[in-house]
Amino acid sequence: MQTLRLGVNIDHVATVRNARGGAWPDPLRAAKLAEAAGADGITAHLREDRRHIADADIDALMSGLAVPLNLEMAATPEMQAIALRHRPHAVCLVPEKREERTTEGGLDVAGDEARLARFIEPLAAAGCRVSLFIGAEAAQVEAAVRVGAAVVELHTGAYCDLHAEGRGEARDVEYARLAEMAAHAHALGLEVHAGHGLSYETVAPVAAIPQLVELNIGHFLIGEAIFRGLQAAIAEMRARMDAARA
Ligand code: PXP
């Protein structure tokens, strides 16, 4: 089985920084610690309202990182121009609503095919691997192929929420959907990632889905870092992923 890459999302280092303004704590410093702890990539979501990561963070990450940057963003002209200026390794397109606390639900690729195909084309031509953050639905997976995405990232938020609510049966149904759609996307030639809401409790079953090649994890790791330090928090996640794959 392929090894599973860990992308560490550092958005919430910026959230803490922005609570006071100024420059501390520095997301680039966190990203470098994540690299040292075994992260295979860094993910940062430049939101339209800049509530966590700011434009200057993207500049710093692009010039300071040794591992690839996965730039999460909405499919807007402003974000497309930023991505084309920086040409990060990967661009993950996510739905974005101003009032939401975090990315709720996946992108409606099937309902927006022509626009997304036009949006993706220059990014792919510039060498970015374009990923679409979607729910585990066949219609979305199949539309992702048609619009020219290289990657889909399956939204694990519902699975993690059902686990946290103790709704084991519904969680297992959602898990089966994730596993089935990972296989379907892989069979259609897409690279398959997953993420959102993952923790030490939920990561192992997801990591065991054989078609997945990358997990993107942020909020839990930054929270756990308060108690144990970022490197220890990441090293344990890495170890749990590796054990699930073994
Ligand atoms: N993947 C995508 C596409 C996301 O939007 C997010 C949240 O920004 C994550 C992964 C990471 O989610 P979490 O912070 O809950 O681990």
PDB file of all heavy atoms in Angstrom, residues 141-161:
ATOM      1  N   VAL A 141     -17.784  13.303  -7.560  1.00  0.00           N
ATOM      2  CA  VAL A 141     -16.538  12.666  -8.007  1.00  0.00           C
ATOM      3  C   VAL A 141     -16.478  12.673  -9.542  1.00  0.00           C
ATOM      4  O   VAL A 141     -15.462  13.048 -10.140  1.00  0.00           O
ATOM      5  CB  VAL A 141     -16.454  11.215  -7.471  1.00  0.00           C
ATOM      6  CG1 VAL A 141     -15.323  10.450  -8.132  1.00  0.00           C
ATOM      7  CG2 VAL A 141     -16.290  11.212  -5.948  1.00  0.00           C
ATOM      8  N   GLU A 142     -17.570  12.283 -10.151  1.00  0.00           N
ATOM      9  CA  GLU A 142     -17.588  12.171 -11.612  1.00  0.00           C
ATOM     10  C   GLU A 142     -17.471  13.555 -12.267  1.00  0.00           C
ATOM     11  O   GLU A 142     -16.789  13.726 -13.277  1.00  0.00           O
ATOM     12  CB  GLU A 142     -18.856  11.422 -12.052  1.00  0.00           C
ATOM     13  CG  GLU A 142     -18.741   9.939 -11.684  1.00  0.00           C
ATOM     14  CD  GLU A 142     -20.074   9.223 -11.514  1.00  0.00           C
ATOM     15  OE1 GLU A 142     -21.101   9.748 -11.995  1.00  0.00           O
ATOM     16  OE2 GLU A 142     -20.076   8.135 -10.883  1.00  0.00           O
ATOM     17  N   ALA A 143     -18.093  14.551 -11.644  1.00  0.00           N
ATOM     18  CA  ALA A 143     -17.975  15.920 -12.171  1.00  0.00           C
ATOM     19  C   ALA A 143     -16.538  16.421 -12.019  1.00  0.00           C
ATOM     20  O   ALA A 143     -16.041  17.155 -12.885  1.00  0.00           O
ATOM     21  CB  ALA A 143     -18.952  16.844 -11.446  1.00  0.00           C
ATOM     22  N   ALA A 144     -15.854  16.003 -10.953  1.00  0.00           N
ATOM     23  CA  ALA A 144     -14.461  16.433 -10.744  1.00  0.00           C
ATOM     24  C   ALA A 144     -13.577  15.973 -11.903  1.00  0.00           C
ATOM     25  O   ALA A 144     -12.680  16.698 -12.345  1.00  0.00           O
ATOM     26  CB  ALA A 144     -13.939  15.892  -9.411  1.00  0.00           C
ATOM     27  N   VAL A 145     -13.834  14.778 -12.400  1.00  0.00           N
ATOM     28  CA  VAL A 145     -13.072  14.286 -13.553  1.00  0.00           C
ATOM     29  C   VAL A 145     -13.348  15.176 -14.762  1.00  0.00           C
ATOM     30  O   VAL A 145     -12.429  15.622 -15.458  1.00  0.00           O
ATOM     31  CB  VAL A 145     -13.455  12.823 -13.888  1.00  0.00           C
ATOM     32  CG1 VAL A 145     -12.729  12.342 -15.136  1.00  0.00           C
ATOM     33  CG2 VAL A 145     -13.172  11.912 -12.701  1.00  0.00           C
ATOM     34  N   ARG A 146     -14.623  15.477 -14.987  1.00  0.00           N
ATOM     35  CA  ARG A 146     -15.002  16.243 -16.189  1.00  0.00           C
ATOM     36  C   ARG A 146     -14.434  17.660 -16.182  1.00  0.00           C
ATOM     37  O   ARG A 146     -14.134  18.213 -17.224  1.00  0.00           O
ATOM     38  CB  ARG A 146     -16.532  16.289 -16.336  1.00  0.00           C
ATOM     39  CG  ARG A 146     -17.134  14.947 -16.724  1.00  0.00           C
ATOM     40  CD  ARG A 146     -18.587  15.106 -17.158  1.00  0.00           C
ATOM     41  NE  ARG A 146     -19.461  15.544 -16.091  1.00  0.00           N
ATOM     42  CZ  ARG A 146     -20.074  14.738 -15.225  1.00  0.00           C
ATOM     43  NH1 ARG A 146     -19.923  13.434 -15.332  1.00  0.00           N
ATOM     44  NH2 ARG A 146     -20.854  15.220 -14.276  1.00  0.00           N
ATOM     45  N   VAL A 147     -14.281  18.268 -14.997  1.00  0.00           N
ATOM     46  CA  VAL A 147     -13.791  19.659 -14.969  1.00  0.00           C
ATOM     47  C   VAL A 147     -12.266  19.732 -14.976  1.00  0.00           C
ATOM     48  O   VAL A 147     -11.700  20.821 -14.983  1.00  0.00           O
ATOM     49  CB  VAL A 147     -14.357  20.467 -13.771  1.00  0.00           C
ATOM     50  CG1 VAL A 147     -15.875  20.519 -13.835  1.00  0.00           C
ATOM     51  CG2 VAL A 147     -13.881  19.922 -12.434  1.00  0.00           C
ATOM     52  N   GLY A 148     -11.599  18.573 -14.975  1.00  0.00           N
ATOM     53  CA  GLY A 148     -10.140  18.579 -15.139  1.00  0.00           C
ATOM     54  C   GLY A 148      -9.352  18.642 -13.843  1.00  0.00           C
ATOM     55  O   GLY A 148      -8.167  18.987 -13.861  1.00  0.00           O
ATOM     56  N   ALA A 149      -9.973  18.283 -12.710  1.00  0.00           N
ATOM     57  CA  ALA A 149      -9.215  18.246 -11.453  1.00  0.00           C
ATOM     58  C   ALA A 149      -8.266  17.048 -11.463  1.00  0.00           C
ATOM     59  O   ALA A 149      -8.561  16.016 -12.067  1.00  0.00           O
ATOM     60  CB  ALA A 149     -10.180  18.125 -10.275  1.00  0.00           C
ATOM     61  N   ALA A 150      -7.118  17.210 -10.777  1.00  0.00           N
ATOM     62  CA  ALA A 150      -6.185  16.087 -10.635  1.00  0.00           C
ATOM     63  C   ALA A 150      -6.487  15.289  -9.373  1.00  0.00           C
ATOM     64  O   ALA A 150      -6.162  14.109  -9.272  1.00  0.00           O
ATOM     65  CB  ALA A 150      -4.748  16.620 -10.569  1.00  0.00           C
ATOM     66  N   VAL A 151      -7.110  15.974  -8.405  1.00  0.00           N
ATOM     67  CA  VAL A 151      -7.256  15.423  -7.058  1.00  0.00           C
ATOM     68  C   VAL A 151      -8.658  15.745  -6.549  1.00  0.00           C
ATOM     69  O   VAL A 151      -9.201  16.810  -6.857  1.00  0.00           O
ATOM     70  CB  VAL A 151      -6.230  16.105  -6.098  1.00  0.00           C
ATOM     71  CG1 VAL A 151      -6.333  15.546  -4.685  1.00  0.00           C
ATOM     72  CG2 VAL A 151      -4.795  15.993  -6.622  1.00  0.00           C
ATOM     73  N   VAL A 152      -9.224  14.843  -5.750  1.00  0.00           N
ATOM     74  CA  VAL A 152     -10.375  15.225  -4.916  1.00  0.00           C
ATOM     75  C   VAL A 152      -9.991  15.007  -3.458  1.00  0.00           C
ATOM     76  O   VAL A 152      -9.278  14.056  -3.132  1.00  0.00           O
ATOM     77  CB  VAL A 152     -11.679  14.454  -5.224  1.00  0.00           C
ATOM     78  CG1 VAL A 152     -12.313  14.949  -6.508  1.00  0.00           C
ATOM     79  CG2 VAL A 152     -11.472  12.949  -5.245  1.00  0.00           C
ATOM     80  N   GLU A 153     -10.440  15.917  -2.612  1.00  0.00           N
ATOM     81  CA  GLU A 153     -10.286  15.720  -1.170  1.00  0.00           C
ATOM     82  C   GLU A 153     -11.673  15.450  -0.606  1.00  0.00           C
ATOM     83  O   GLU A 153     -12.584  16.276  -0.733  1.00  0.00           O
ATOM     84  CB  GLU A 153      -9.656  16.962  -0.517  1.00  0.00           C
ATOM     85  CG  GLU A 153      -9.510  16.779   0.995  1.00  0.00           C
ATOM     86  CD  GLU A 153      -8.598  17.791   1.659  1.00  0.00           C
ATOM     87  OE1 GLU A 153      -7.650  18.277   1.003  1.00  0.00           O
ATOM     88  OE2 GLU A 153      -8.836  18.099   2.838  1.00  0.00           O
ATOM     89  N   LEU A 154     -11.848  14.284  -0.004  1.00  0.00           N
ATOM     90  CA  LEU A 154     -13.158  13.914   0.548  1.00  0.00           C
ATOM     91  C   LEU A 154     -13.324  14.540   1.928  1.00  0.00           C
ATOM     92  O   LEU A 154     -12.428  14.473   2.779  1.00  0.00           O
ATOM     93  CB  LEU A 154     -13.289  12.393   0.622  1.00  0.00           C
ATOM     94  CG  LEU A 154     -13.181  11.642  -0.717  1.00  0.00           C
ATOM     95  CD1 LEU A 154     -13.288  10.125  -0.487  1.00  0.00           C
ATOM     96  CD2 LEU A 154     -14.244  12.095  -1.720  1.00  0.00           C
ATOM     97  N   HIS A 155     -14.485  15.138   2.144  1.00  0.00           N
ATOM     98  CA  HIS A 155     -14.792  15.866   3.392  1.00  0.00           C
ATOM     99  C   HIS A 155     -15.124  14.855   4.486  1.00  0.00           C
ATOM    100  O   HIS A 155     -16.136  14.146   4.389  1.00  0.00           O
ATOM    101  CB  HIS A 155     -15.986  16.776   3.120  1.00  0.00           C
ATOM    102  CG  HIS A 155     -16.183  17.878   4.104  1.00  0.00           C
ATOM    103  ND1 HIS A 155     -16.121  17.691   5.461  1.00  0.00           N
ATOM    104  CD2 HIS A 155     -16.445  19.204   3.916  1.00  0.00           C
ATOM    105  CE1 HIS A 155     -16.344  18.847   6.078  1.00  0.00           C
ATOM    106  NE2 HIS A 155     -16.532  19.781   5.156  1.00  0.00           N
ATOM    107  N   THR A 156     -14.290  14.793   5.518  1.00  0.00           N
ATOM    108  CA  THR A 156     -14.518  13.836   6.607  1.00  0.00           C
ATOM    109  C   THR A 156     -15.255  14.481   7.783  1.00  0.00           C
ATOM    110  O   THR A 156     -15.401  13.849   8.838  1.00  0.00           O
ATOM    111  CB  THR A 156     -13.178  13.252   7.101  1.00  0.00           C
ATOM    112  OG1 THR A 156     -12.275  14.331   7.385  1.00  0.00           O
ATOM    113  CG2 THR A 156     -12.547  12.345   6.069  1.00  0.00           C
ATOM    114  N   GLY A 157     -15.722  15.718   7.622  1.00  0.00           N
ATOM    115  CA  GLY A 157     -16.365  16.431   8.728  1.00  0.00           C
ATOM    116  C   GLY A 157     -17.587  15.717   9.271  1.00  0.00           C
ATOM    117  O   GLY A 157     -17.764  15.604  10.494  1.00  0.00           O
ATOM    118  N   ALA A 158     -18.447  15.227   8.388  1.00  0.00           N
ATOM    119  CA  ALA A 158     -19.672  14.566   8.855  1.00  0.00           C
ATOM    120  C   ALA A 158     -19.319  13.295   9.625  1.00  0.00           C
ATOM    121  O   ALA A 158     -19.891  13.017  10.698  1.00  0.00           O
ATOM    122  CB  ALA A 158     -20.577  14.236   7.665  1.00  0.00           C
ATOM    123  N   TYR A 159     -18.358  12.547   9.096  1.00  0.00           N
ATOM    124  CA  TYR A 159     -17.914  11.314   9.781  1.00  0.00           C
ATOM    125  C   TYR A 159     -17.415  11.651  11.198  1.00  0.00           C
ATOM    126  O   TYR A 159     -17.790  10.980  12.177  1.00  0.00           O
ATOM    127  CB  TYR A 159     -16.812  10.659   8.933  1.00  0.00           C
ATOM    128  CG  TYR A 159     -16.054   9.584   9.654  1.00  0.00           C
ATOM    129  CD1 TYR A 159     -16.632   8.338   9.890  1.00  0.00           C
ATOM    130  CD2 TYR A 159     -14.752   9.809  10.118  1.00  0.00           C
ATOM    131  CE1 TYR A 159     -15.945   7.352  10.571  1.00  0.00           C
ATOM    132  CE2 TYR A 159     -14.054   8.827  10.794  1.00  0.00           C
ATOM    133  CZ  TYR A 159     -14.658   7.602  11.016  1.00  0.00           C
ATOM    134  OH  TYR A 159     -13.976   6.630  11.698  1.00  0.00           O
ATOM    135  N   CYS A 160     -16.604  12.691  11.312  1.00  0.00           N
ATOM    136  CA  CYS A 160     -16.033  13.053  12.624  1.00  0.00           C
ATOM    137  C   CYS A 160     -17.115  13.585  13.566  1.00  0.00           C
ATOM    138  O   CYS A 160     -17.100  13.282  14.765  1.00  0.00           O
ATOM    139  CB  CYS A 160     -14.916  14.079  12.440  1.00  0.00           C
ATOM    140  SG  CYS A 160     -13.509  13.398  11.540  1.00  0.00           S
ATOM    141  N   ASP A 161     -18.042  14.370  13.037  1.00  0.00           N
ATOM    142  CA  ASP A 161     -19.131  14.898  13.874  1.00  0.00           C
ATOM    143  C   ASP A 161     -19.989  13.760  14.418  1.00  0.00           C
ATOM    144  O   ASP A 161     -20.364  13.753  15.596  1.00  0.00           O
ATOM    145  CB  ASP A 161     -20.028  15.853  13.071  1.00  0.00           C
ATOM    146  CG  ASP A 161     -19.343  17.182  12.782  1.00  0.00           C
ATOM    147  OD1 ASP A 161     -18.305  17.464  13.404  1.00  0.00           O
ATOM    148  OD2 ASP A 161     -19.859  17.918  11.914  1.00  0.00           O
TER     149      ASP A 161
END
